[in-house]
Amino acid sequence: MNILIFLGPAGSGKGTQAQYLKEQFQFAHLSTGDLLRAEVASNSALGQKVKSVIQSGDLVSDDIIIEIIKDRVSSLIKNGDFNGIVFDGFPRTLQQAKSFDHMLTSLNLQLNKAIYFDLTLDESIRRISGRQIDSRNNHVYHKISNPAPADVQPHLVSRNDDEPEKVKHRYMVYQNETEPLISHYDSKLVRIDCMKSIDHIHHTFDDLVQSFQVSA
Ligand code: AMP
């Protein structure tokens, strides 16, 4: 089982590339942001607890996140028919990373690569200000650089934590809490230059997945 984690600020293309791995290589896509938003949308007890934290751009507590991940990973492994799991937006703190290391060891799994999506604050704001999401399946579009087809347009929504001030705050949280993971994953790290085209980055993933299959 291949395990990838995606580290990177808002707008760096983590969701787009995770979707690519899902469609091309049958990876499961596990986005903690999507899971949390689904809890908020269903107004569950957990959703009510985390709603204001998500809206503020701060991080949900490590305990909650680790519990969600444990739940999801065990049900994925039980039911799964896929080549690997992409963890999109998890781990985001050193505490989460350490718990995740233990979890993988206890499941007899190994991290293949930690993918570091490198993007500046200005570019993060520029991209997020045009971001639109298909509410049915969380596909991500951009008003200018990746417009949604006409039949998808009626289903597009924007996230309320995507306002420029909140994106700035999320970027700062990312720098403080998540960037330290770059050295934690040093030997497994692959840096992606997010200024390259989406297709170029797809090819990087083609090569990467190919190298897993060859060494498997
Ligand atoms: P995302 O969709 O990855 O941008 O996540 C949206 C929001 O969900 C974040 O700003 C956090 O409030 C929360 N969140 C998502 N993943 C995590 C995580 N691993 N740890 C803590 N909070 C998270």
Side-chain angles (χ1 to χ4, degrees):
M1 163 98 65
N2 298 303
I3 306 286
L4 289 177
I5 60 172
F6 281 7
L7 313 169
S12 57
K14 302 186 299 295
T16 302
Q17 298 300 334
Q19 193 62 38
Y20 180 71
L21 287 173
K22 184 173 173 178
E23 286 163 7
Q24 291 294 315
F25 301 109
Q26 292 75 51
F27 273 59
H29 174 199
L30 210 164
S31 154
T32 39
D34 285 349
L35 292 172
L36 291 166
R37 278 184 292 278
E39 294 289 339
V40 172
S42 70
N43 205 27
S44 68
L46 175 60
Q48 290 175 22
K49 208 164 162 181
V50 299
K51 187 175 179 180
S52 62
V53 182
I54 296 175
Q55 278 176 4
S56 71
D58 286 327
L59 293 183
V60 170
S61 78
D62 290 334
D63 290 352
I64 290 179
I65 296 292
I66 289 160
E67 207 47 49
I68 291 177
I69 287 287
K70 279 188 179 153
D71 250 39
R72 292 295 299 170
V73 170
S74 58
S75 63
L76 269 177
I77 287 176
K78 257 185 233 146
N79 311 325
D81 181 18
F82 46 83
N83 290 325
I85 308 176
V86 182
F87 292 85
D88 166 8
F90 171 87
R92 255 171 153 106
T93 66
L94 209 48
Q95 170 75 33
Q96 290 178 20
K98 288 179 177 167
S99 298
F100 189 53
D101 292 344
H102 289 131
M103 193 191 311
L104 290 180
T105 308
S106 69
L107 293 168
N108 214 10
L109 295 172
Q110 265 202 345
L111 179 70
N112 293 68
K113 294 289 177 194
I115 315 293
Y116 161 42
F117 289 77
D118 193 3
L119 190 75
T120 62
L121 169 63
D122 284 353
E123 189 60 17
S124 173
I125 293 172
R126 193 191 69 74
R127 291 184 183 189
I128 292 299
S129 61
R131 176 154 82 172
Q132 297 176 312
I133 297 163
D134 184 339
S135 56
R136 298 166 302 173
N137 53 23
N138 294 318
H139 275 226
V140 178
Y141 297 93
H142 189 278
K143 275 182 198 160
I144 295 160
S145 58
N146 181 25
D151 59 321
V152 175
Q153 295 281 344
H155 304 285
L156 294 176
V157 292
S158 297
R159 283 169 45 172
N160 58 13
D161 58 347
D162 276 354
E163 296 154 17
E165 278 316 305
K166 290 192 182 159
V167 176
K168 263 190 210 168
H169 181 68
R170 284 159 62 200
Y171 196 93
M172 190 200 72
V173 170
Y174 167 76
Q175 283 183 310
N176 292 340
E177 302 288 344
T178 310
E179 273 191 354
L181 301 192
I182 290 168
S183 57
H184 180 77
Y185 288 115
D186 188 30
S187 62
K188 303 266 171 132
L189 203 75
V190 175
R191 177 184 170 275
I192 300 281
D193 176 356
C194 297
M195 297 311 285
K196 301 276 194 223
S197 70
I198 290 181
D199 278 347
H200 179 98
I201 300 173
H202 284 343
H203 288 312
T204 306
F205 280 103
D206 293 341
D207 292 345
L208 201 66
V209 174
Q210 180 67 27
S211 75
F212 300 159
Q213 287 166 352
V214 166
S215 62

